[in-house]
Amino acid sequence: MIILNIVLLCMFIIGIDIVLRKLFYRFKKRESVIQWLVYLFLLGLLLVGVLWFESKFMGIILPINISFNWLGVLQAILIILSIAAILFAVMSIEIYVRKKRNTPLPAMEFSKPEDEMFKGSQKYIGAFIISACAGIFEELIFRYYVLGRLEYVTDSTLFAVVVSSLLFGFIHILDGGWKSVISTGLFGIFFSVVYVLTGNLLVVIIIHAIWNFLSFTIPFEKMINFINRLLN
């Protein structure tokens, strides 16, 4: 029954996403902050509804591991800094090698609806709100609920991590097809591993929110153009 609840929850998430996109695209050519807030609010209602149904009719109540403590915040910051250091090291090696060979970075297309959504004076405020809400609700659904329930049913952490990450990737299929499913699924595995190792959902929420914020606000194309100018 829990497996069915998980499947239905993911189907409802995709359904809500499709309906909202259709409604908003009738009036606009791009996504809006309001659309995202409505979407995330409905995700919250869905999760509350499923938890209520399970506690009322199935007697299943699992605690949420989301206690605030400075150790959790420190863990999240250290993980983020470690990732940044690795990316910086890889990028430095890439730039060094390409400069030796006199080969520029390949052109990459990063433009997406979010680029248009977060423009103007409210860019960072809107990006912060959406990033925080997405981090909270998506982690509650896929790390706390889906991963936790699958682990509860199967008694296998590995199975729960893999399947919850696949489902996390699948709900993003409208963002970029199967490429988006694969890339988001890989992020899901990373978030799941961090959650399992730390045992604190707050750590994953912080990392998820910061990643979203950076992806919304960093001008990747301008960075690549700047690096190519340095190479030349």
Side-chain angles (χ1 to χ4, degrees), residues 52-116:
W52 174 84
F53 177 84
E54 288 185 352
S55 63
K56 185 75 172 178
F57 298 101
M58 301 172 65
I60 301 175
I61 301 176
L62 294 180
I64 301 178
N65 299 321
I66 189 171
S67 58
F68 177 84
N69 57 75
W70 288 110
L71 177 60
V73 175
L74 180 61
Q75 286 176 320
I77 293 174
L78 289 176
I79 292 172
I80 293 169
L81 291 177
S82 299
I83 296 172
I86 293 172
L87 292 176
F88 179 78
V90 171
M91 196 64 183
S92 298
I93 295 172
E94 176 81 3
I95 293 174
Y96 176 78
V97 172
R98 287 184 178 276
K99 194 166 186 178
K100 285 290 186 181
R101 297 178 179 176
N102 196 27
T103 55
L105 289 171
M108 300 181 71
E109 179 61 48
F110 287 97
S111 60
K112 52 183 184 274
E114 291 89 336
D115 294 332
E116 296 296 323

Side-chain angles (χ1 to χ4, degrees), residues 114-130:
E114 291 89 336
D115 294 332
E116 296 296 323
M117 180 167 50
F118 300 120
K119 279 189 173 181
S121 60
Q122 303 300 315
K123 171 182 178 179
Y124 293 102
I125 296 176
F128 174 80
I129 293 173
I130 296 301

Side-chain angles (χ1 to χ4, degrees), residues 142-143 146-147 150-151 156-167 185 188-193 196:
F142 288 97
R143 252 54 69 183
V146 177
L147 191 155
L150 287 174
E151 191 176 31
S156 172
T157 302
L158 178 61
F159 178 82
V161 166
V162 172
V163 175
S164 63
S165 300
L166 288 175
L167 292 174
I189 291 176
F190 169 71
F191 293 144
S192 298
V193 170
V196 170

Side-chain angles (χ1 to χ4, degrees), residues 10 15 22 27 30 32 45 56 73 112 126 132 154 171 192 199 215:
C10 291
K22 292 290 185 182
F27 305 100
R30 58 183 175 82
S32 69
L45 287 183
K56 185 75 172 178
V73 175
K112 52 183 184 274
T154 64
I171 68 157
S192 298
S215 68

Side-chain angles (χ1 to χ4, degrees), residues 200-223:
N200 190 346
L201 194 64
L202 178 65
V203 175
V204 196
I205 289 175
I206 293 174
I207 296 173
H208 191 156
I210 290 177
W211 171 257
N212 281 353
F213 181 79
L214 293 177
S215 68
F216 288 148
T217 56
I218 291 180
F220 292 103
E221 290 179 342
K222 291 182 180 179
M223 288 177 59

